[in-house]
């Protein structure tokens, strides 16, 4: 008996976004045991490796605290073969510009702030438009164009899980402008 396509999509979303989220949030998040090297905080755009890590080490983090404490526009904190954890901090009015990941599912968790999230299968036709805030989650299926904008007066603090990974390991873009320059240089 053939499994309906809808079930396969739900199964993939669970396997690549929700299950890792449950595993990450159920870890003993002792911030003193984070595996992030302090020197990584000072890496600049031109030092970013061009490949994703494929032999990841186990990792624990107090994900709520790490998300709130992050002041970088984008910081890749952990990369594995099938998933990547990225922290982001968007200033008022800043955004994750419209993009699409053809073969990557994405999970976004809002720890603090307010955002407008728009999505659609067509670049010019967003069929999903939702305001979200603290404690909301957004799931973006592969192949969906999406745009996230901070509509609040304070920084939007989020973490995102990509399955599989999207950014080179240890990427840090300190500002929105730095991230835009990088993405333009890479043709994104």
């Amino acid at each position: 008996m053939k499994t309906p396509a809808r079930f396969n999509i739900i199964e993939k979303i669970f396997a690549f976004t929700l299950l890792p989220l449950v595993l990450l949030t159920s870890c003993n998040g002792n911030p003193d045991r984070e595996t992030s090297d302090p020197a990584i905080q000072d890496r600049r755009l031109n030092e970013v490796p061009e490949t994703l890590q494929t032999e990841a080490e186990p990792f624990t983090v107090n994900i709520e605290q790490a998300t709130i404490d992050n002041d970088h526009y984008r910081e890749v904190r952990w990369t594995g073969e099938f998933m990547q954890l990225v922290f982001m901090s968007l200033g008022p009015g800043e955004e994750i510009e419209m993009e699409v990941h053809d073969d990557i599912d994405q999970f976004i968790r809002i720890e603090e702030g307010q955002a407008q999230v728009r999505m659609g299968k067509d670049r010019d036709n967003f069929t999903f438009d939702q305001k979200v805030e603290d404690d909301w989650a957004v799931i973006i299926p592969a192949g969906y164009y999406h745009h996230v904008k901070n509509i609040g007066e304070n920084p939007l603090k989020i973490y995102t899980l990509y399955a599989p990974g999207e950014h080179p390991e240890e990427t840090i873009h300190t500002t929105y402008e730095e991230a835009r320059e990088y993405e333009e240089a890479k043709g994104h």
Side-chain angles (χ1 to χ4, degrees):
M1 180 176 188
K2 188 173 182 182
T3 306
R6 182 172 176 222
F7 180 76
N8 286 334
I9 292 170
I10 292 169
E11 185 177 81
K12 286 179 183 177
I13 289 171
F14 178 77
F16 291 110
T17 56
L18 297 180
L19 182 59
L21 171 66
V22 170
L23 294 173
L24 282 171
T25 58
S26 66
C27 296
N28 178 8
N30 180 350
D32 295 329
R33 297 197 52 161
E34 291 185 16
T35 60
S36 175
D37 182 274
I40 292 173
Q41 299 298 323
D42 296 326
R43 282 190 187 245
R44 302 304 298 172
L45 181 63
N46 59 355
E47 297 174 348
V48 175
E50 292 302 318
T51 60
L52 297 176
Q53 175 179 327
T54 56
E55 294 186 27
E57 294 291 323
F59 178 77
T60 63
V61 64
N62 179 330
I63 200 158
E64 180 179 7
Q65 193 62 52
T67 303
I68 292 168
D69 289 347
N70 175 53
D71 290 324
H72 297 295
Y73 176 80
R74 176 183 295 125
E75 179 182 346
V76 174
R77 182 63 70 92
W78 184 88
T79 301
E81 186 173 354
F82 300 107
M83 185 176 64
Q84 183 174 69
L85 170 63
V86 178
F87 294 112
M88 296 186 76
S89 178
L90 284 66
E94 289 184 343
E95 59 194 334
I96 301 171
E97 294 187 11
M98 185 177 57
E99 60 185 358
V100 64
H101 309 295
D102 290 323
D103 53 4
I104 296 174
D105 291 318
Q106 186 174 0
F107 171 94
I108 298 174
R109 160 78 177 183
I110 293 91
E111 289 295 344
E112 288 184 352
Q114 301 172 328
Q116 184 78 33
V117 178
R118 301 178 335 160
M119 289 186 269
K121 292 286 283 179
D122 182 50
R123 177 182 192 93
D124 299 317
N125 184 23
F126 288 109
T127 56
F128 180 94
D129 191 343
Q130 176 79 42
K131 291 182 182 179
V132 293
E133 58 187 33
D134 300 10
D135 303 325
W136 279 69
V138 178
I139 297 174
I140 304 167
Y144 271 74
Y145 287 89
H146 53 280
H147 175 257
V148 178
K149 183 173 185 174
N150 181 351
I151 58 171
E153 296 179 12
N154 298 310
L156 177 65
K157 302 286 190 157
I158 66 174
Y159 69 86
T160 184
L161 296 171
Y162 294 96
E166 164 68 3
H167 301 286
E169 180 186 356
E170 299 177 1
T171 296
I172 295 177
H173 296 137
T174 306
T175 65
Y176 171 69
E177 290 77 20
E178 189 176 282
R180 286 193 64 194
E181 288 174 17
Y182 172 81
E183 289 168 7
E184 286 175 12
K186 296 297 177 188
H188 292 177

